[in-house]
């Protein structure tokens, strides 16, 4: 039995993601309370040391407590913490968008739309793809193709695209219909008329257990999308910012998507991206 008031408040008031709360709240379960980090090391409230082996789920790519990031945040905080992007703009947002565009050949992926996190990045790409086809006079193109075992986040549209049952099956009744493909061969048998876009985690499906796609897959997929009038969405929420050895996983096959979804590494693990 744990009499720590913090643990007792935790067990009464906090709900954790993808966690069986009955087991979590059991009297003999002692949750790890993290209090400090430095580089790849985290410490808990008992002073025990942990290696943050998955970079706090693929987000913290520069290490905890990084002096340059800390200094930048502190300096910004002394000016203003948050302003709306609706009807105004600000230098950090402009500079970041310019830097991101600079990662790609000029004219491609030139514009950044800021959302909240990986799931909402996917939501935005989905909505933009639907809008694109409406404006092109093809409103019937509003369905999406996603792969088996894909993970694209937990908001409703993103979860509709996901193919890992444990994350999505309970909400199947409110998901929109998605054409699900096991691989490239299955994609090429689809009728493209009503399809807006294909979404894929390039190079590797992360949440599915680090499942690597065969080499050449992205290039072939790009070719099929171009030949059949479909947009291509790369979800690089996991792979982005160096995780695959290149800045972006799509660079391995020199293939560009129409939409690139970024989040985890973009936040350095400091923000809710
Ligand atoms: C984590 C992840 C997401 C969802 O990002 P959140 O920031 O958790 O909403 C989407 N796609 C992939 C490939 C991810 O790994």
């Amino acid at each position: 039995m744990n009499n720590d008031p913090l643990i007792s408040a935790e067990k009464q008031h906090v709900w954790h993601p993808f966690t069986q709360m009955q087991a979590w709240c059991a009297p003999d379960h002692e949750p790890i309370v993290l209090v400090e980090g430095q580089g790849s090391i985290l410490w808990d409230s008992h002073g025990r040391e942990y290696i943050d082996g998955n970079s706090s789920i693929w987000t913290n790519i520069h290490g905890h407590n990084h002096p340059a990031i800390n200094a930048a945040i502190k300096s910004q905080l002394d000016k203003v913490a948050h302003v709306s992007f609706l009807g105004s703009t600000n230098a950090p947002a402009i500079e970041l968008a310019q830097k991101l565009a600079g990662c790609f050949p000029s004219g491609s992926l030139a514009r950044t739309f800021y959302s909240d996190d990986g799931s909402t990045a996917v939501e935005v790409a989905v909505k933009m793809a639907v809008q694109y086809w409406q404006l092109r006079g093809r409103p019937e193109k509003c369905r999406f193709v996603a792969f088996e075992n894909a993970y694209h986040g937990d908001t409703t549209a993103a979860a509709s695209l996901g193919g890992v049952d444990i994350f999505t099956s309970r909400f199947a009744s409110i998901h929109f219909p998605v054409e699900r493909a096991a691989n490239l061969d299955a994609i090429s048998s689809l009728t493209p008329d009503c399809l807006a876009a294909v979404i894929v985690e390039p190079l590797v499906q992360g949440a599915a257990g680090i499942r690597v796609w065969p080499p050449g897959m992205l290039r072939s997929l790009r070719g099929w999308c171009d030949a059949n009038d479909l947009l291509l969405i790369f979800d690089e929420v996991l792979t982005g910012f160096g995780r695959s050895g290149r800045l972006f996983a799509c660079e391995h096959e020199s293939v560009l998507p129409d939409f690139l979804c970024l989040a985890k590494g973009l936040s350095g693990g400091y923000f809710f991206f």
Side-chain angles (χ1 to χ4, degrees), residues 94-148:
I94 299 168
E95 285 158 14
L96 177 58
Q98 186 177 34
K99 275 207 167 146
L100 289 171
C103 297
F104 302 97
S106 86
S108 65
L109 300 175
R111 237 174 239 281
T112 293
F113 184 100
Y114 292 107
S115 63
D116 311 74
D117 52 32
S119 305
T120 44
V122 170
E123 302 276 332
V124 169
V126 162
K127 290 171 77 177
M128 280 189 181
V130 168
Q131 181 169 356
Y132 172 85
W133 287 117
Q134 281 176 12
L135 297 177
R136 295 287 300 265
R138 307 279 310 273
E140 74 284 4
K141 285 175 82 62
C142 60
R143 293 173 65 92
F144 288 81
V145 184
F147 286 97
E148 281 179 12

Side-chain angles (χ1 to χ4, degrees), residues 18 57-59 116-122 150-155 158 199-202 204-207 234-239 261-264 267 271-273:
F18 300 116
I57 316 212
W58 311 326
T59 58
D116 311 74
D117 52 32
S119 305
T120 44
V122 170
Y151 177 77
H152 297 296
D154 292 301
T155 51
I199 183 164
V200 65
E201 295 158 86
V204 57
Q205 291 186 320
F234 284 172
D235 176 352
E236 292 227 25
V237 172
L238 156 64
T239 50
C261 302
L262 301 172
K264 294 189 169 102
S267 76
F271 301 105
F272 237 51
F273 262 178

Side-chain angles (χ1 to χ4, degrees), residues 109 196-197 222 225-226 230-234 256-260:
L109 300 175
R222 177 78 267 184
C225 288
D226 290 346
L230 261 76
L231 298 169
L232 183 55
I233 304 169
F234 284 172
L256 286 171
D258 300 294
F259 300 100
L260 182 69

